[in-house]
Amino acid sequence: MDTNLLWIVLLPFLGFLINGLLGRKLGHKTVSVIACLLPVLSFVVSYAAWSRLVDGANALHWNGFPWIWLEGTLEVPFALHFDGLAAVMCLVITGVGSVIHLYSIGYMKGDPGYHRYFSYLNLFTAFMLLLVLADNLLLMFIGWEGVGLCSYLLIGFWYEDDANCAAGKKAFIVNRIGDLAFLIGMFVCLQHFGSLDISMLTSAEEITRVSAETLTFPWGAASVVTTIAVLLFIGATGKSAQIPLFVWLPDAMAGPTPVSALIHAATMVTSGVYLCCRLMPLFEASPAAMGLIAAVGACTALLAAFIAFTQNDIKKVLAYSTISQLGYMFFAVGMGAFSAALFHLVTHAFFKALLFLGSGSVIHAMHHEQDMRKMGGLRNRLPFTHITFLIGTLAIAGVPPLAGFFSKDEILFAGFQQGFLNAVGSAQLFWLISFLTAGMTAFYMIRCVAMTFWGESHVEESLERNVHEPGGWIGFALFVLAIASALGGFLNVPEFLGGHASLGHFTGLHHSTSDLSVDQLRSLHVSEWQSMLLSVLIAGSGLMLGIHCYGKGRDLRTSFNDSSAGKALGRLSASKFYVDEIYDRIFVRPFETLSHLLFILIDRIIIDGILVNGLALLTRSTGNVFRRIQTGYIPGYLLTFGCGVLVLIFILLNFLREGGAQ
Amino acid sequence: MIPEFDSFNLPILSLIVLTPALVALVLCLVDRNNRALIRQLALMGSFLTLLFSLLMVANFDSNLGTMQLEEQHSWIESLGISYHLGVDGISILLVLLTCFTMPFVFLSTWAAIGDRVKEFHIALLLLQTGMVGAFVSLDLILFYLYYEAMLIPMYLIIGIWGGKERIYAALKFFIFTMVGSLLMFLGILYLYNHAGTFDLPVLMERLRTTHPLGSDQQLWLFLAFTLSFAIKVPLFPLHTWLPDAHVQAPTAGSVVLAGVLLKMGTYGLLRFAIPLFPEAAFDLQSMMAWLAIIGIVFGACMALVQNDIKKLIAYSSVSHLGFVVLACFIPNLEALTGAILQMVNHGLSTGMLFLMIGIIYERRHTRELADYGGICKVVPIFTIFFLLAVLSSIGLPGLNGFVGEFLLLYGVFSSVPLWGCLATTGVLLGALYMLNMVKKFLFGPLVHEENHHIEDLNTRELIYLIPFVVMMVWLGLYPAPFIKMVQPTLTLYVEMLQN
């Protein structure tokens, strides 16, 4: 029983309440102090809890109170659980989160919705922490939908623009599609595990018991575990922007840039990966689901990287890059390398937050210009931003020894191991895809740097004079995250490089190699070296190619245009594979048309027109017919009256007799 | 601890039922021009009733699943009609919901109703007596009287204080409901004829033991009762009176209609139609379930294409109550608990939505979505409250809607997975039409000149909206005590149905 856990969630929530209720009356300064101090305090509490785990304490637990509680049938408590995995997530959320809160002080200065912004951001932090600390899936679902709500509110933060609101709505709805699968997944869990407690869903005996059971669908039978894993994974594709539900994330860039950094890069979008790691034993028990996850992850990584090639909006490049990197994480999950997935989640939080905040610094300096074609040469004006952005770029590209190098290498090796050492055919293909994507990542990121910071300036002259380094909290945040992106990889140095894979061991996701013999271990290490060499090579060539293409200010599309195939590919990339348009044609518009049709056809014409008002018409016209009976001829009335009385008396007598008999 | 008032032996249920009617009587004596006094008296009366209903909760034993606080006095002895009241887990939350809603409804009318204030308040008070009376009556004739008694004040509220098309809407409402209740009345007479009693507990006992009904009889009686309740709910395809009634009714009428009156239908199913004729209910289970599922999806589709905010929410009620009807026909604890919670939740969220639309209507005199847009800039506090009501309505976890929805859907899913999955899509569609509405209503550019100076919520409005929010959060985060009140009754209920 550890009530401190509650404070981790409660502190940012308090910030939300204070700023939400009183923010209008407090000055900007007070609002910022409250909004930033409370996540920092939450970080401190998380740190204290973490250090207790490091000292060897068991997982901490807060029993909470009964929530959805049908005694003896369905008992879901409001309880929190803090283990290694939750600890790492809490530290990332509150750590990176606090830095982004501080950055926002500079970025949002003077915005009329200042207090509203910070209260949403605090609320988001609280929900995100609830998501990772929840000890059962249903409680996690509060956080899961709660972060979605905050994302909705923050994407549409500048509500006066219709496009922003539409983007926010799209994010919520697309996420809800995934959430339906999540809900149904929970139903299946309840039915077969009889509980939603994570400890139950991950216990080996329970999983063995349940794996024996199968479900029959119209299209064939599937094991219960696979069904649950696939349903929960569909939920994850919504939140973590994977095929087929990734379409909301690029639009989500309509929100303020720090929001993109915190919610749409570092934390919220990784919750799908967190869910998989949280339920590792469950997912591992279903090879079919793992195969699906790997395939979706690898394909998403490739597709998004390919789209990122031709984007000209600096935030869109980063958005597709995020989708691509999330694909990497799922690929790792599918390969069974949960520890690598979590590791990449952490390093990605560092360097992608850094990249987004760097782009925010550029956008801020450029007075909300996001088109890279109107930038260029900014490194003279924004030297600090340039350096930090470059660090982020090299980190994501996988240049040693920056953070992304270690984590991406671990993922690629996991694919390599599955595909070639364990000789799984499909894994070879997925490995190849991810391997190529690594090169593509390096390429489009260096393109982004080149178009923004290098070469000739395309900035309008009137603007250019005012472009200057933002400094203050913005600079501070960039500095902190640049250091984290540079050194973050050392959290989990693999054993063959003399490290201890500390992160993997701490979170309990690492698969132990201690049962291998010395020879096996040596040959494993040899292939780890080979894989690493390959990934450095591909990252290097991606970078070189990028510098070659864009270093001299050339646009790739001009070189693509030389061949018709290249032209078609270029157009496909620039138009984002028409996914939005396809969804619009297949789902959105037919549904709206159908609703209109049904409204007119069923409600207006059939029910109201024919049945209701038709019946009224019928009554009126029969009335007209029977009106003729009312002749005014008294003996006729009397006769009818008499007959009626006789019938009534008969009925009444009958009624009373039967009633009396009982 | 709550003190035990039981020693006083107060007829608590009678007090809850009759206080509003008594206040209505007193109002008859008040000068019609003294509006302030009329309003205050009615408000005090409804608060007094709320107090009595809290007393009822204090005296209600959550561990028992039987009828409690029963009162029985013989009334028309020759026909065996008695004044028999009682409350159990099925009805207690609905009584509480009614008594909770009414004071705030009265508060909301202070600015909206300036015409024939006295008659309006009398009608509302009589309506309250009718509603609570129907929820606690255990005698079929008594129930029927209250059930019909609700109809008249509601008819007058729509017909007199309604909008332009009020006569059509009121008539449609009246005829639709009347047709159903007549059939039910015939059913009640038939039952009396068959088993010789109007008393519900006695009747249930006799039907089970000494006077079993044949399957044909069950079927027809079930249909007679169910038709009446299905119209009240309203179940697809009997729903078309609802959008018209809502659009034309004044705010207070809409709130009572959506908040409480519609639950009379689902309550009737749970209390009468299903337990009296369980075999017929079982035989027709899949038909009713499919109608409910069609209602869920169809109501949502209709809500999506409405341009009138009130109509949109009226259709959303069709969708939401589809969930409840579906669950009523699933005999397991989760589904039924979810159904009862969902009745309360729908009362809170939709009631609050209608109150808020009333507020904005008083200021702008239009309900067309196209006349709004971007007003969140002008009315930020209104926006927060409206968003909360919307989020509660679309079942955001952490607020009340989710708790009921989850239990309900899981209950349905565990019994018939296909129905559960289909119904779950309603959750997605709900978010779709609600957020569409929010976008057009509150967000976007502020284009209309008239909207630049809308007044934000005033203190009186805050006073009646905050209790709704408190209940939403309470039921969302700590619903355990409410579930506990319901559970023992439903456990017995499920056992009875399964035998």
Side-chain angles (χ1 to χ4, degrees):
Chain A
M1 191 72 178
D2 201 313
T3 38
N4 283 343
L5 290 186
L6 187 61
W7 286 107
I8 299 180
V9 180
L10 220 49
L11 285 166
F13 190 76
L14 275 178
F16 156 71
L17 282 183
I18 297 173
N19 279 335
L21 292 175
L22 308 170
R24 194 181 300 276
K25 293 177 188 125
L26 306 170
H28 278 197
K29 202 157 225 170
T30 328
V31 168
S32 350
V33 170
I34 292 169
C36 298
L37 191 64
L38 288 165
V40 170
L41 282 178
S42 178
F43 177 78
V44 172
V45 180
S46 308
Y47 184 82
W50 173 76
S51 52
R52 281 178 59 190
L53 288 191
V54 174
D55 289 346
N58 286 326
L60 311 178
H61 197 83
W62 180 65
N63 289 333
F65 54 86
W67 179 36
I68 297 186
W69 199 265
L70 266 175
E71 196 87 38
T73 315
L74 197 167
E75 298 176 345
V76 183
F78 196 107
L80 304 178
H81 188 77
F82 188 89
D83 57 3
L85 179 57
V88 171
M89 291 299 289
C90 280
L91 289 177
V92 171
I93 294 162
T94 51
V96 177
S98 300
V99 172
I100 294 175
H101 274 75
L102 289 169
Y103 176 94
S104 301
I105 297 178
Y107 192 84
M108 297 302 288
K109 198 149 94 193
D111 194 284
Y114 196 76
H115 70 279
R116 193 161 55 91
Y117 171 84
F118 275 108
S119 64
Y120 290 166
L121 217 55
N122 277 180
L123 182 64
F124 168 79
T125 314
F127 274 134
M128 192 66 211
L129 289 164
L130 184 61
L131 192 162
V132 298
L133 284 173
D135 105 314
N136 60 67
L137 283 188
L138 202 58
L139 188 60
M140 185 194 268
F141 199 62
I142 294 193
W144 185 272
E145 285 237 310
V147 289
L149 167 72
C150 297
S151 159
Y152 162 75
L153 291 170
L154 283 162
I155 294 170
F157 179 73
W158 288 307
Y159 52 79
E160 278 168 62
D161 190 342
D162 257 336
N164 297 350
C165 303
K169 196 185 85 188
K170 183 172 171 184
F172 197 93
I173 299 294
V174 174
N175 267 300
R176 265 248 155 146
I177 298 175
D179 292 354
L180 289 193
F182 195 129
L183 258 181
I184 295 173
M186 284 197 284
F187 296 158
V188 183
C189 282
L190 262 178
Q191 224 175 3
H192 293 272
F193 284 90
S195 164
L196 290 173
D197 284 352
I198 284 162
S199 56
M200 282 284 261
L201 297 179
T202 52
S203 94
E205 302 98 73
E206 286 292 308
I207 291 176
T208 334
R209 178 176 67 77
V210 172
S211 348
E213 299 170 29
T214 53
L215 295 170
T216 35
F217 295 98
W219 55 86
S223 83
V224 171
V225 175
T226 301
T227 313
I228 294 175
V230 169
L231 284 168
L232 293 179
F233 172 65
I234 295 174
T237 58
K239 198 107 283 175
S240 295
Q242 297 295 294
I243 293 174
L245 297 178
F246 66 94
V247 288
W248 63 273
L249 188 59
D251 291 26
M253 296 301 124
T257 307
V259 169
S260 312
L262 178 60
I263 301 185
H264 305 123
T267 54
M268 183 186 87
V269 288
T270 60
S271 34
V273 182
Y274 170 76
L275 177 70
C276 294
C277 293
R278 192 25 101 209
L279 298 176
M280 177 172 92
L282 186 74
F283 280 93
E284 276 182 330
S286 167
M290 294 287 274
L292 177 76
I293 295 173
V296 170
C299 295
T300 311
L302 179 69
L303 180 84
F306 187 67
I307 296 177
F309 268 12
T310 52
Q311 298 302 309
N312 291 319
D313 181 323
I314 185 167
K315 282 181 78 178
K316 286 273 160 74
V317 176
L318 294 178
Y320 280 106
S321 153
T322 305
I323 297 175
S324 174
Q325 297 301 309
L326 289 166
Y328 259 108
M329 295 175 211
F330 280 107
F331 171 67
V333 166
M335 290 293 124
F338 289 86
S339 140
L342 181 76
F343 185 27
H344 198 55
L345 185 160
V346 174
T347 58
H348 177 257
F350 296 150
F351 57 68
K352 193 47 75 58
L354 172 65
L355 288 169
F356 263 115
L357 294 187
S359 80
S361 166
V362 172
I363 293 166
H364 191 71
M366 296 279 295
H367 294 273
H368 294 277
E369 180 56 72
Q370 295 183 193
D371 192 334
M372 293 189 296
R373 285 168 301 188
K374 295 180 186 160
M375 298 177 185
L378 286 176
R379 82 175 139 171
N380 302 321
R381 295 261 166 193
L382 303 169
F384 184 66
T385 306
H386 170 231
I387 291 293
T388 51
F389 199 88
L390 198 60
I391 292 175
T393 303
L394 296 179
I396 193 177
V399 173
L402 302 177
F405 161 72
F406 289 98
S407 53
K408 197 177 282 187
D409 180 56
E410 226 177 287
I411 293 176
L412 286 175
F413 177 67
F416 187 79
Q417 190 180 20
Q418 278 284 6
F420 298 99
L421 303 186
N422 301 348
V424 180
S426 58
Q428 295 178 359
L429 176 70
F430 299 144
W431 174 81
L432 192 67
I433 292 177
S434 333
F435 180 70
L436 286 177
T437 309
M440 290 162 74
T441 309
F443 179 84
Y444 68 70
M445 279 314 299
I446 209 72
R447 167 182 178 265
C448 177
V449 175
M451 284 179 78
T452 312
F453 293 100
W454 300 349
E456 282 170 34
S457 167
H458 302 283
V459 185
E460 282 172 39
E461 260 180 50
S462 57
L463 204 61
E464 193 164 17
R465 259 173 284 130
N466 294 325
V467 171
H468 60 86
E469 200 67 70
W473 287 116
I474 294 185
F476 170 77
L478 292 179
F479 177 72
V480 173
L481 285 173
I483 292 192
S485 306
L487 304 179
F490 294 100
L491 286 174
N492 198 28
V493 179
E495 277 147 7
F496 77 99
L497 290 177
H500 300 287
S502 353
L503 189 75
H505 284 302
F506 182 62
T507 53
L509 299 175
H510 189 76
H511 287 279
S512 174
T513 49
S514 56
D515 52 342
L516 296 178
S517 69
V518 181
D519 278 348
Q520 281 171 317
L521 208 58
R522 190 174 299 138
S523 73
L524 191 70
H525 285 173
V526 170
S527 35
E528 280 185 77
W529 275 105
Q530 288 168 340
S531 163
M532 193 179 76
L533 215 62
L534 278 174
S535 56
V536 173
L537 267 177
I538 187 87
S541 34
L543 286 176
M544 295 320 276
L545 193 67
I547 293 172
H548 172 74
C549 288
Y550 288 94
K552 298 168 206 130
R554 285 174 62 195
D555 189 329
L556 183 69
R557 265 195 290 173
T558 50
S559 43
F560 258 158
N561 281 352
D562 297 344
S563 66
S564 58
K567 213 172 184 173
L569 272 178
R571 198 178 310 137
L572 209 55
S573 163
S575 60
K576 305 159 193 173
F577 282 80
Y578 301 101
V579 178
D580 272 321
E581 287 78 2
I582 294 171
Y583 284 0
D584 193 52
R585 293 274 160 77
I586 300 185
F587 301 113
V588 182
R589 266 195 257 167
F591 183 67
E592 281 175 4
T593 323
L594 189 73
S595 298
H596 273 283
L597 261 177
L598 282 179
F599 176 55
I600 293 172
L601 192 72
I602 296 193
D603 257 35
R604 284 275 164 83
I605 297 180
I606 298 186
I607 299 183
D608 259 9
I610 299 177
L611 294 179
V612 177
N613 295 339
L615 220 61
L617 200 71
L618 189 72
T619 323
R620 210 173 307 147
S621 44
T622 31
N624 280 336
V625 172
F626 283 100
R627 200 172 55 185
R628 305 205 179 125
I629 299 174
Q630 297 193 323
T631 49
Y633 181 59
I634 306 230
Y637 286 169
L638 277 179
L639 184 66
T640 328
F641 175 71
C643 291
V645 168
L646 277 180
V647 171
L648 273 181
I649 289 175
F650 181 73
I651 292 175
L652 207 65
L653 278 177
N654 214 20
F655 182 69
L656 285 178
R657 198 182 57 210
E658 279 186 32
Q662 284 143 15
Chain B
M1 274 310 289
I2 309 159
E4 288 280 338
F5 288 95
D6 207 29
S7 46
F8 291 130
N9 258 330
L10 286 173
I12 298 176
L13 295 182
S14 290
L15 283 174
I16 299 174
V17 176
L18 297 177
T19 307
L22 285 176
V23 177
L25 263 181
V26 173
L27 281 192
C28 290
L29 306 174
V30 176
D31 177 21
R32 57 166 44 259
N33 293 319
N34 196 347
R35 290 182 187 175
L37 183 64
I38 293 173
R39 286 172 176 156
Q40 279 159 13
L41 272 177
L43 186 64
M44 269 156 48
S46 61
F47 266 118
L48 194 64
T49 320
L50 176 58
L51 203 71
F52 287 137
S53 71
L54 294 179
L55 211 61
M56 167 188 76
V57 174
N59 282 306
F60 185 84
D61 186 347
S62 291
N63 298 315
L64 297 180
T66 49
M67 280 293 163
Q68 301 186 38
L69 306 173
E70 272 185 271
E71 295 168 31
Q72 188 162 21
H73 306 284
S74 54
W75 181 21
I76 307 176
E77 270 175 70
S78 56
L79 291 174
I81 300 171
S82 66
Y83 176 83
H84 189 182
L85 305 181
V87 67
D88 67 353
I90 297 177
S91 50
I92 187 162
L93 291 187
L94 294 169
V95 174
L96 210 53
L97 172 73
T98 315
C99 297
F100 169 84
T101 313
M102 286 314 281
F104 308 117
V105 170
F106 279 113
L107 257 181
S108 79
T109 64
W110 284 18
I113 303 292
D115 189 32
R116 298 187 225 211
V117 176
K118 184 169 154 181
E119 287 82 354
F120 186 79
H121 281 82
I122 292 175
L124 265 184
L125 285 164
L126 291 179
L127 188 58
Q128 184 175 4
T129 290
M131 293 187 299
V132 181
F135 283 137
V136 297
S137 293
L138 294 180
D139 184 280
L140 288 178
I141 291 293
L142 191 64
F143 168 77
Y144 185 74
L145 281 179
Y146 281 124
Y147 189 77
E148 288 298 284
M150 289 180 306
L151 207 57
I152 299 157
M154 197 65 214
Y155 171 71
L156 294 176
I157 287 173
I158 299 174
I160 297 177
W161 292 273
K164 278 196 199 91
E165 308 265 323
R166 57 181 181 270
I167 303 293
Y168 171 74
L171 206 63
K172 200 170 173 181
F173 163 74
F174 195 83
I175 291 177
F176 258 89
T177 358
M178 202 64 202
V179 169
S181 13
L182 277 178
L183 282 175
M184 181 169 71
F185 189 59
L186 288 181
I188 291 175
L189 290 183
Y190 188 93
L191 276 176
Y192 178 72
N193 198 12
H194 176 82
T197 179
F198 287 118
D199 194 74
L200 183 66
V202 179
L203 180 65
M204 297 231 316
E205 193 52 41
R206 286 193 187 165
L207 288 185
R208 219 171 328 151
T209 52
T210 51
H211 296 76
L213 289 162
S215 53
D216 271 1
Q217 287 167 304
Q218 276 222 20
L219 189 70
W220 288 109
L221 285 168
F222 174 79
L223 284 177
F225 274 75
T226 301
L227 184 71
S228 165
F229 297 132
I231 290 173
K232 262 281 180 335
V233 169
L235 184 69
F236 177 89
L238 305 168
H239 62 275
T240 58
W241 63 270
L242 186 72
D244 284 317
H246 267 310
V247 170
Q248 296 307 323
T251 301
S254 293
V255 176
V256 175
L257 193 58
V260 184
L261 257 172
L262 303 185
K263 278 85 199 176
M264 211 54 81
T266 41
Y267 169 77
L269 288 176
L270 278 182
R271 173 70 83 213
F272 301 100
I274 296 170
L276 284 176
F277 321 110
E279 282 165 38
F282 182 76
D283 288 341
L284 294 181
Q285 182 197 33
S286 70
M287 183 192 82
M288 296 303 289
W290 281 109
L291 282 179
I293 291 169
I294 294 174
I296 294 172
V297 177
F298 182 81
C301 290
M302 293 304 98
L304 194 66
V305 297
Q306 300 305 318
N307 298 316
D308 181 308
I309 308 176
K310 258 190 159 180
K311 220 169 199 175
L312 191 154
I313 296 176
Y315 274 114
S316 88
S317 293
V318 175
S319 182
H320 279 143
L321 285 164
F323 283 105
V324 182
V325 174
L326 175 61
C328 286
F329 284 88
I330 305 290
N332 67 42
L333 192 58
E334 291 89 348
L336 292 171
T337 311
I340 290 186
L341 290 180
Q342 229 22 21
M343 289 189 223
V344 177
N345 292 333
H346 177 262
L348 291 172
S349 60
T350 310
M352 180 160 162
L353 282 171
F354 275 124
L355 282 173
M356 299 206 65
I357 289 162
I359 290 172
I360 206 82
Y361 183 78
E362 281 164 34
R363 291 156 170 62
R364 281 281 288 109
H365 298 286
T366 170
R367 282 185 306 257
E368 285 294 310
L369 275 175
D371 290 331
Y372 293 99
I375 60 166
C376 75
K377 190 172 187 168
V378 196
V379 285
I381 300 173
F382 177 89
T383 304
I384 295 171
F385 279 83
F386 196 82
L387 274 180
L388 272 167
V390 163
L391 293 174
S392 144
S393 169
I394 65 178
L396 187 85
L399 292 175
N400 57 343
F402 179 71
V403 178
E405 203 170 80
F406 180 80
L407 283 171
L408 190 158
L409 289 173
Y410 172 61
V412 175
F413 181 88
S414 65
S415 178
V416 187
L418 176 67
W419 294 348
C421 292
L422 288 174
T424 310
T425 58
V427 177
L428 171 68
L429 298 176
L432 194 61
Y433 62 74
M434 278 295 182
L435 293 187
N436 250 337
M437 187 257 284
V438 165
K439 175 171 169 282
K440 289 183 196 158
F441 182 41
L442 299 170
F443 298 137
L446 188 63
V447 279
H448 297 284
E449 188 62 34
E450 304 89 324
N451 290 338
H452 281 279
H453 301 288
I454 306 179
E455 186 202 342
D456 210 342
L457 297 180
N458 59 36
T459 318
R460 177 178 58 88
E461 288 155 353
L462 281 174
I463 287 174
Y464 66 75
L465 291 178
I466 288 173
F468 280 86
V469 175
V470 171
M471 288 312 293
M472 282 171 186
V473 176
W474 184 1
L475 275 166
L477 289 179
Y478 191 53
F482 297 92
I483 295 177
K484 196 162 182 289
M485 275 194 252
V486 174
Q487 194 182 354
T489 308
L490 288 181
T491 311
L492 291 180
Y493 185 90
V494 172
E495 273 170 23
M496 184 197 73
L497 285 185
Q498 279 165 352
N499 286 333

